[in-house]
Amino acid sequence: MKQKTILVGVAGASASGKSLLANTLIEELQSEHLCIISEDSYYKDQTHLTMEERVRTNYDHPDSMDHELMLDHMNQLKTGKAVDVPIYDYSVHNRKDECRRVLPARVVIIEGILLFTRPDIREAFDLRFYMDTPLDICLIRRMKRDIVERGRDVDSVIKQYLETVRPMFLQFIEPARQHAHLIIPHGGKNRIAIDLIKTKIRDLID
Ligand code: CTP
């Protein structure tokens, strides 16, 4: 009998340590039967917009995401089919032309800020985790990351944080934490949480 794909969702504020937790799980479970997808891959196509218009997009509102495509991919992976996940380029606020082929895996970890805001998406996850990292820590990390990795400057990071990132966190992301099975403090290096999650995933795999 074909084994079921386990979908794991890791949500939480921007720069709360979601990808660190997801990558640590992949490394430590050391299996080619795991893969990671970022919700950011599903930001809507903005090819038709100018750069100025793209800068004004609210990237922390659920409407900025092509959640239909993400849910479709989740369902395809669940039925053992490969999917072509868009590749996102933060420096131009748009998808690249090429996609990344993701093969069906035993465990698929999806990480992203808005994963638990929509009932049909959150219910598709077998396990839901929420990174409960203090917002000041997230802001420090985001500031560093956006300048080093995403081609931003201090003023633009602060403007975006005050206008959209923080308000959308309070309106959408934080309220959705009630839907998590487990709330994880102390970030993506929380050893006890990692060990507990690994045990649960191994349990589901067996
Ligand atoms: N974002 C942006 N510009 C875009 C698209 C997205 O600034 N063109 C920002 C959004 O404001 C959103 C963030 O990207 O808040 C989502 O990515 P984030 O969750 O911060 O990245 P991860 O690496 O997944 O975070 P973590 O550190 O928790 O792993």
Side-chain angles (χ1 to χ4, degrees), residues 10-21 23 38-40 43 46 54-55 57-61 64-65 88-94 111-113 131 138 141-142 145-146 149-150 152 160 164-165 173:
V10 182
S14 168
S16 57
K18 303 178 293 297
S19 42
L20 178 58
L21 180 83
N23 282 304
S38 171
E39 187 189 30
D40 295 7
Y43 275 117
Q46 301 208 110
R54 291 182 198 178
V55 170
T57 301
N58 180 348
Y59 295 100
D60 292 79
H61 192 285
S64 63
M65 299 278 180
Y88 194 71
D89 183 348
Y90 297 93
S91 63
V92 293
H93 307 280
N94 204 16
E111 61 86 16
I113 53 176
M131 305 303 293
C138 295
R141 287 199 196 133
R142 181 171 169 126
R145 182 200 62 199
D146 281 6
E149 295 170 23
R150 296 189 181 176
R152 312 285 166 84
Q160 186 187 9
T164 54
V165 179
I173 302 167

Side-chain angles (χ1 to χ4, degrees), residues 109-167:
I109 304 178
I110 304 184
E111 61 86 16
I113 53 176
L114 295 160
L115 293 180
F116 304 157
T117 57
R118 233 178 89 153
D120 52 357
I121 290 179
R122 68 173 173 258
E123 276 152 28
F125 287 111
D126 300 285
L127 298 174
R128 292 186 288 272
F129 303 123
Y130 181 92
M131 305 303 293
D132 194 19
T133 308
L135 273 195
D136 55 349
I137 303 294
C138 295
L139 175 58
I140 293 168
R141 287 199 196 133
R142 181 171 169 126
M143 178 75 78
K144 277 186 169 170
R145 182 200 62 199
D146 281 6
I147 292 169
V148 174
E149 295 170 23
R150 296 189 181 176
R152 312 285 166 84
D153 59 40
V154 174
D155 288 344
S156 76
V157 174
I158 293 173
K159 185 173 187 300
Q160 186 187 9
Y161 186 80
L162 294 175
E163 286 178 0
T164 54
V165 179
R166 189 172 185 280

Side-chain angles (χ1 to χ4, degrees), residues 3 6 8 24-31 34 106-107 127 129 191 194-206:
Q3 287 176 314
I6 299 152
V8 180
T24 306
L25 290 171
I26 297 273
E27 259 171 45
E28 296 193 11
L29 285 163
Q30 282 195 344
S31 158
L34 273 81
R106 191 75 179 83
V107 181
L127 298 174
F129 303 123
R191 179 43 44 198
I194 292 164
D195 288 345
L196 287 171
I197 294 169
K198 275 162 56 185
T199 304
K200 182 64 192 170
I201 289 178
R202 285 198 182 111
D203 194 37
L204 288 174
I205 289 175
D206 297 339

